[in-house]
Amino acid sequence: MAFENFYQTNSVENFKMFWFLWRLLGFRGFQNKYANIVHNLVLHVAISFWYPMHLTLGLLSLPNQGEIFKNLSITITCIVCSMKQLFLRWKIRQMHDIEMLFLELDASVESRQEYHFFTNGPRKHAQWITKLYCTCYMGANVAAITMVMLDSQRRLMYPAWFPFDWSSSSQVYWAVLMYQFMGVTTQIVQNLVNDAPAGVLLCLISGHVRLLGMRVSRIGHDSKKTENENLADLGKCVEDHKRLIKLFKLVEDTQSYVQLILYISGGLNICVAVVYLIFFVESLTAYLYYSAFILAITIEIYPSYYYGSSCQQEFNDLSYAIFCSNWLEQPKRFHKNMRIFVESTLPKVTMTAGGIVRMQIENFFAICKMAYSLFTLIRSIK
């Protein structure tokens, strides 16, 4: 038992930052009920509702194509971010069930090989995904405020509408600029906790499926174990497979609509940003900002689809791992249970966004193709 505990993995460690940010964003952040209500009311009215609204109203009053495309990309991003936050809030309680299943799967790890594979592979990759999101999102935000600071004329971070003249005094201007900066920073944090968990969760699930394959392939090869012990090991693998399927379905239910919104908006957003970057940008800082913005949009989409494909492949490989065990020398009861286990692993396990779009790498390239098609259409109209 001490050996197993020593090599037990810790998947839940990857969610600590998400829970910290979710609490900052009003997901049961305070113990006091009334403080929570005020926190959520201010956050949702001032940021989730008004921030996209003031950008949209500003978009309607812009005089030329360049300004429209400049504002359109961030407006789409903020509207989509608020929608994703709403769906995530609806499903957030399921994250506790997801964590409990991960803890049960972590407790099944029983060897140094499994521990080192998971710690140096999926867990580290999940940490890289989170760091990559943070770097790209915050990099785009720093580029945006830098672009404003280096401009010789007084202007906003993004063209927007306010019910007063923001240029009437320095105090009003700096207050409005601070609101835009804090607002977009909050939306970036919202986007981080909207988008990053899907890639992290799928990465960890694919790792645990691989660990299950490693365990099941070892059955029967240890000459010190009796037939009953091998049968018990097979039973544990069957239970772990059931946990993985349950976990996969929970993650799909939690992330489904968030990923569908991201799929629909991703191509459009990339297209709008590329159009502005190619046809309207005139300064180096603007080039840097929109390059960072396009990279951030791409990064928020790619990990979910890459690890969606990886997860499906790992589930597909389970049936092969079962036949790598020393099943020929086992009794008939083992063979019967093994056949049932193999049959349960045969159906394809594929995550879908909204029950419509398969989260696989080819659909990431479909988003890129959609962006290119829209870009070609806009270029021909222009």
Side-chain angles (χ1 to χ4, degrees):
M1 181 65 68
F3 177 81
E4 293 180 359
N5 286 340
F6 180 76
Y7 288 116
Q8 183 173 320
T9 55
N10 188 359
S11 305
V12 178
E13 184 75 20
N14 292 85
F15 305 123
K16 282 187 176 180
M17 188 191 76
F18 294 136
W19 279 114
F20 172 73
L21 294 176
W22 280 326
R23 290 187 178 96
L24 285 181
L25 294 172
F27 290 61
R28 289 184 294 178
F30 300 98
Q31 293 183 349
N32 187 292
K33 180 177 71 173
Y34 298 105
N36 262 328
I37 293 172
V38 173
H39 183 202
N40 278 282
L41 189 62
V42 171
L43 189 68
H44 289 302
V45 172
I47 306 297
S48 297
F49 173 74
W50 178 248
Y51 201 86
M53 180 61 69
H54 95 296
L55 292 174
T56 304
L57 294 173
L59 181 67
L60 298 175
S61 61
L62 293 175
N64 56 63
Q65 285 184 342
E67 290 295 316
I68 290 172
F69 278 103
K70 180 180 180 180
N71 195 16
L72 188 57
S73 56
I74 189 63
T75 302
I76 294 171
T77 301
C78 290
I79 292 172
V80 167
C81 176
S82 295
M83 292 173 64
K84 290 186 292 185
Q85 187 76 180
L86 180 64
F87 281 110
L88 184 63
R89 181 174 289 269
W90 178 32
K91 298 287 187 178
I92 192 65
R93 291 187 179 182
Q94 293 182 355
M95 282 300 300
H96 293 292
D97 298 328
I98 289 170
E99 285 187 330
M100 289 305 299
L101 286 168
F102 270 121
L103 287 173
E104 292 175 10
L105 290 167
D106 286 334
S108 297
V109 175
E110 56 187 26
S111 71
R112 182 195 298 267
Q113 182 188 12
E114 292 175 54
Y115 176 81
H116 285 300
F117 164 77
F118 191 83
T119 303
N120 298 320
R123 185 180 168 189
K124 186 171 287 186
H125 295 164
Q127 293 170 348
W128 287 347
I129 292 170
T130 307
K131 291 175 182 177
L132 189 61
Y133 274 99
C134 291
T135 303
C136 290
Y137 286 1
M138 291 305 174
N141 196 28
V142 170
I145 193 65
T146 302
M147 193 166 57
V148 174
M149 294 299 183
L150 296 179
D151 200 313
S152 56
Q153 295 181 342
R154 180 180 290 181
R155 64 180 186 83
L156 300 177
M157 286 181 69
Y158 309 106
W161 179 85
F162 288 94
F164 50 82
D165 183 6
W166 55 265
S167 60
S168 59
S169 68
S170 297
Q171 290 83 356
V172 174
Y173 168 71
W174 285 107
V176 167
L177 190 62
M178 181 58 67
Y179 167 74
Q180 285 204 323
F181 177 74
M182 295 302 296
V184 78
T185 301
T186 304
Q187 292 257 287
I188 285 171
V189 173
Q190 288 179 339
N191 243 347
L192 175 64
V193 297
N194 291 340
D195 302 331
V200 169
L201 288 165
L202 288 171
C203 176
L204 294 174
I205 290 174
S206 64
H208 275 290
V209 179
R210 174 72 69 87
L211 294 182
L212 175 58
M214 293 166 67
R215 288 195 293 273
V216 74
S217 65
R218 289 200 303 266
I219 295 176
H221 291 288
D222 187 350
S223 58
K224 295 179 181 179
K225 288 192 174 183
T226 64
E227 292 179 350
N228 286 335
E229 287 176 325
N230 289 330
L231 189 62
D233 288 343
L234 180 63
K236 291 177 184 177
C237 290
V238 171
E239 291 302 314
D240 283 339
H241 183 252
K242 290 179 181 177
R243 291 188 186 99
L244 282 165
I245 295 296
K246 183 179 179 181
L247 175 61
F248 185 87
K249 291 185 181 301
L250 270 174
V251 171
E252 183 177 38
D253 186 48
T254 305
Q255 298 293 323
S256 180
Y257 291 107
V258 172
Q259 293 301 315
L260 180 62
I261 294 169
L262 189 58
Y263 177 83
I264 294 170
S265 64
L268 177 60
N269 224 344
I270 292 173
C271 171
V272 170
V274 169
V275 168
Y276 186 77
L277 180 66
I278 292 176
F279 296 115
F280 299 105
V281 167
E282 297 177 350
S283 66
L284 177 61
T285 52
Y287 269 111
L288 293 175
Y289 166 69
Y290 280 94
S291 297
F293 185 81
I294 293 168
L295 179 63
I297 298 171
T298 307
I299 291 300
E300 77 176 340
I301 301 170
Y302 180 76
S304 302
Y305 288 85
Y306 174 80
Y307 284 107
S309 292
S310 174
C311 206
Q312 178 178 312
Q313 187 59 50
E314 294 293 347
F315 273 109
N316 290 344
D317 291 343
L318 267 182
S319 54
Y320 297 100
I322 295 171
F323 285 102
C324 289
S325 65
N326 189 16
W327 60 277
L328 286 172
E329 298 181 9
Q330 304 307 311
K332 289 184 178 179
R333 186 181 174 190
F334 183 97
H335 293 169
K336 180 181 177 181
N337 291 347
M338 191 192 82
R339 284 196 298 270
I340 296 171
F341 187 21
V342 170
E343 288 175 5
S344 71
T345 64
L346 292 179
K348 285 190 177 295
V349 180
T350 306
M351 183 164 290
T352 58
I356 301 171
V357 181
R358 291 185 305 165
M359 291 180 62
Q360 294 183 319
I361 195 66
E362 57 264 27
N363 278 327
F364 168 76
F365 293 112
I367 293 173
C368 297
K369 290 177 182 177
M370 177 171 63
Y372 179 75
S373 299
L374 290 171
F375 172 75
T376 303
L377 177 63
I378 293 171
R379 186 177 62 176
S380 64
I381 295 172
K382 184 177 184 298

